[in-house]
Amino acid sequence: REATMQLFHGAKMLTDPIADMLTRICNANKSMHDSTQMPSSRMNEEIARLLKDDGYIKDFRVLQGTPFSTLVVGLKFGRNRERVSTDLKRISKPGRRVYARKDRLPRVLGGLGTAILSTSTGVITSRQAAERGVGGEVLAFVW
C-alpha cells in the first residue's frame, strides 16, 4: 500500500506546473542539494534551458519513465558553496496573467536578474525579447 501511495503522490495533477518547478528549484537551492527532480514538460524544459544558458543552474536532463518523464535539474554553487541564484519568483499565475509589451519589458534588479517571457517565438529572456522586439507573458523573475 505504501508503494502505491508514493506512485500516485508523484503523478498528481498540478494546477501550476511552472510554479511547482520554480518552488522545487528554490527549495533544493536553499537546502544546498546538488539536484532536484520534477515532472517534465516542454515548458519546464525550455525554462531549464534558459536557466542553464544564463548560468543559474549547472545542467538539466530528462529521464524517460513509463507513466511520465522526469526533469532532473543540477544546481550550481560557487567556490565556497555559496548560492548562484538567490530566488525565483512566479509572476504570471493562473488566476492573474501578466503581460509585457515590447516597449515595456521588465528589468529585474536593475538588469542583474533575468525575466523569463513566453512569446510567440518561444520562451525567451527579456534581453532576447528586447533584441527581437517582441513582448509576451511574464512567466518568472530569477535573481
Side-chain angles (χ1 to χ4, degrees), residues 15 30 43 59 68-69 82 88 101-102 104 119 122 130:
T15 306
K30 287 180 181 174
M43 180 68 81
D59 201 6
F68 57 90
S69 300
E82 69 268 5
L88 298 100
R101 294 181 3 201
K102 65 179 182 180
R104 301 204 24 103
T119 67

mmCIF file of all heavy atoms in Angstrom, residues 15 30 43 59 68-69 82 88 101-102 104 119 122 130:
data_model
loop_
_atom_site.group_PDB
_atom_site.id
_atom_site.type_symbol
_atom_site.label_atom_id
_atom_site.label_comp_id
_atom_site.label_asym_id
_atom_site.label_seq_id
_atom_site.Cartn_x
_atom_site.Cartn_y
_atom_site.Cartn_z
ATOM 1 N N THR A 15 -1.954 22.315 -10.667
ATOM 2 C CA THR A 15 -2.650 23.475 -11.220
ATOM 3 C C THR A 15 -1.671 24.380 -11.949
ATOM 4 O O THR A 15 -1.968 24.896 -13.006
ATOM 5 C CB THR A 15 -3.328 24.272 -10.086
ATOM 6 O OG1 THR A 15 -4.164 23.377 -9.350
ATOM 7 C CG2 THR A 15 -4.170 25.388 -10.647
ATOM 8 N N LYS A 30 17.974 26.288 -1.450
ATOM 9 C CA LYS A 30 18.094 26.739 -0.065
ATOM 10 C C LYS A 30 18.584 25.619 0.846
ATOM 11 O O LYS A 30 19.245 25.875 1.846
ATOM 12 C CB LYS A 30 16.759 27.283 0.433
ATOM 13 C CG LYS A 30 16.429 28.627 -0.171
ATOM 14 C CD LYS A 30 15.116 29.157 0.312
ATOM 15 C CE LYS A 30 14.846 30.504 -0.357
ATOM 16 N NZ LYS A 30 13.517 31.021 -0.056
ATOM 17 N N MET A 43 7.502 23.121 -21.554
ATOM 18 C CA MET A 43 7.684 24.439 -20.949
ATOM 19 C C MET A 43 8.753 24.380 -19.857
ATOM 20 O O MET A 43 9.632 25.237 -19.808
ATOM 21 C CB MET A 43 6.359 24.934 -20.365
ATOM 22 C CG MET A 43 6.446 26.290 -19.727
ATOM 23 S SD MET A 43 6.736 27.632 -20.880
ATOM 24 C CE MET A 43 5.109 27.894 -21.484
ATOM 25 N N ASP A 59 23.152 22.063 -14.925
ATOM 26 C CA ASP A 59 22.713 21.288 -16.078
ATOM 27 C C ASP A 59 21.322 20.735 -15.807
ATOM 28 O O ASP A 59 20.822 20.810 -14.683
ATOM 29 C CB ASP A 59 23.685 20.141 -16.337
ATOM 30 C CG ASP A 59 23.606 19.620 -17.765
ATOM 31 O OD1 ASP A 59 22.884 20.222 -18.581
ATOM 32 O OD2 ASP A 59 24.259 18.609 -18.066
ATOM 33 N N PHE A 68 5.321 8.914 -16.721
ATOM 34 C CA PHE A 68 5.672 10.275 -17.143
ATOM 35 C C PHE A 68 7.185 10.449 -17.096
ATOM 36 O O PHE A 68 7.880 9.712 -16.408
ATOM 37 C CB PHE A 68 4.995 11.323 -16.240
ATOM 38 C CG PHE A 68 5.321 11.192 -14.782
ATOM 39 C CD1 PHE A 68 6.405 11.844 -14.240
ATOM 40 C CD2 PHE A 68 4.535 10.409 -13.950
ATOM 41 C CE1 PHE A 68 6.723 11.717 -12.898
ATOM 42 C CE2 PHE A 68 4.837 10.281 -12.603
ATOM 43 C CZ PHE A 68 5.931 10.933 -12.083
ATOM 44 N N SER A 69 7.680 11.436 -17.836
ATOM 45 C CA SER A 69 9.112 11.740 -17.845
ATOM 46 C C SER A 69 9.449 12.639 -16.661
ATOM 47 O O SER A 69 8.612 13.399 -16.182
ATOM 48 C CB SER A 69 9.494 12.438 -19.144
ATOM 49 O OG SER A 69 9.214 11.613 -20.231
ATOM 50 N N GLU A 82 28.526 28.901 -1.953
ATOM 51 C CA GLU A 82 27.512 29.945 -1.895
ATOM 52 C C GLU A 82 26.563 29.776 -3.095
ATOM 53 O O GLU A 82 26.958 29.270 -4.139
ATOM 54 C CB GLU A 82 28.123 31.349 -1.870
ATOM 55 C CG GLU A 82 28.803 31.784 -3.145
ATOM 56 C CD GLU A 82 30.291 31.473 -3.164
ATOM 57 O OE1 GLU A 82 30.784 30.839 -2.222
ATOM 58 O OE2 GLU A 82 30.951 31.857 -4.131
ATOM 59 N N LEU A 88 13.766 32.659 -7.056
ATOM 60 C CA LEU A 88 12.974 32.544 -8.275
ATOM 61 C C LEU A 88 11.549 32.912 -7.906
ATOM 62 O O LEU A 88 11.049 32.452 -6.875
ATOM 63 C CB LEU A 88 13.000 31.105 -8.810
ATOM 64 C CG LEU A 88 14.358 30.557 -9.210
ATOM 65 C CD1 LEU A 88 14.915 29.668 -8.125
ATOM 66 C CD2 LEU A 88 14.215 29.780 -10.480
ATOM 67 N N ARG A 101 4.443 44.522 -22.943
ATOM 68 C CA ARG A 101 4.594 44.937 -24.335
ATOM 69 C C ARG A 101 6.074 45.064 -24.659
ATOM 70 O O ARG A 101 6.924 45.144 -23.776
ATOM 71 C CB ARG A 101 3.887 46.268 -24.558
ATOM 72 C CG ARG A 101 2.398 46.147 -24.389
ATOM 73 C CD ARG A 101 1.625 47.413 -24.611
ATOM 74 N NE ARG A 101 2.405 48.573 -25.026
ATOM 75 C CZ ARG A 101 1.982 49.811 -24.872
ATOM 76 N NH1 ARG A 101 0.842 50.064 -24.288
ATOM 77 N NH2 ARG A 101 2.724 50.822 -25.292
ATOM 78 N N LYS A 102 6.384 45.113 -25.947
ATOM 79 C CA LYS A 102 7.796 45.146 -26.357
ATOM 80 C C LYS A 102 8.512 46.409 -25.894
ATOM 81 O O LYS A 102 9.722 46.395 -25.696
ATOM 82 C CB LYS A 102 7.924 44.992 -27.875
ATOM 83 C CG LYS A 102 7.337 46.127 -28.676
ATOM 84 C CD LYS A 102 7.526 45.897 -30.142
ATOM 85 C CE LYS A 102 6.981 47.062 -30.944
ATOM 86 N NZ LYS A 102 7.161 46.849 -32.371
ATOM 87 N N ARG A 104 7.785 47.930 -22.992
ATOM 88 C CA ARG A 104 7.747 47.983 -21.530
ATOM 89 C C ARG A 104 8.132 46.633 -20.928
ATOM 90 O O ARG A 104 7.421 46.082 -20.095
ATOM 91 C CB ARG A 104 6.363 48.405 -21.051
ATOM 92 C CG ARG A 104 5.965 49.762 -21.588
ATOM 93 C CD ARG A 104 4.959 50.545 -20.831
ATOM 94 N NE ARG A 104 4.786 50.285 -19.429
ATOM 95 C CZ ARG A 104 5.266 51.062 -18.471
ATOM 96 N NH1 ARG A 104 6.005 52.104 -18.754
ATOM 97 N NH2 ARG A 104 4.999 50.791 -17.217
ATOM 98 N N THR A 119 6.702 34.053 -25.408
ATOM 99 C CA THR A 119 6.335 34.894 -26.538
ATOM 100 C C THR A 119 5.872 34.036 -27.705
ATOM 101 O O THR A 119 5.879 32.811 -27.631
ATOM 102 C CB THR A 119 7.543 35.745 -26.995
ATOM 103 O OG1 THR A 119 8.535 34.871 -27.543
ATOM 104 C CG2 THR A 119 8.140 36.522 -25.845
ATOM 105 N N GLY A 122 8.600 31.717 -28.760
ATOM 106 C CA GLY A 122 9.071 30.723 -27.797
ATOM 107 C C GLY A 122 9.353 31.347 -26.443
ATOM 108 O O GLY A 122 9.079 32.521 -26.208
ATOM 109 N N ALA A 130 13.925 42.021 -26.031
ATOM 110 C CA ALA A 130 14.260 43.390 -26.428
ATOM 111 C C ALA A 130 15.011 43.396 -27.761
ATOM 112 O O ALA A 130 14.772 44.248 -28.620
ATOM 113 C CB ALA A 130 15.091 44.062 -25.339
#
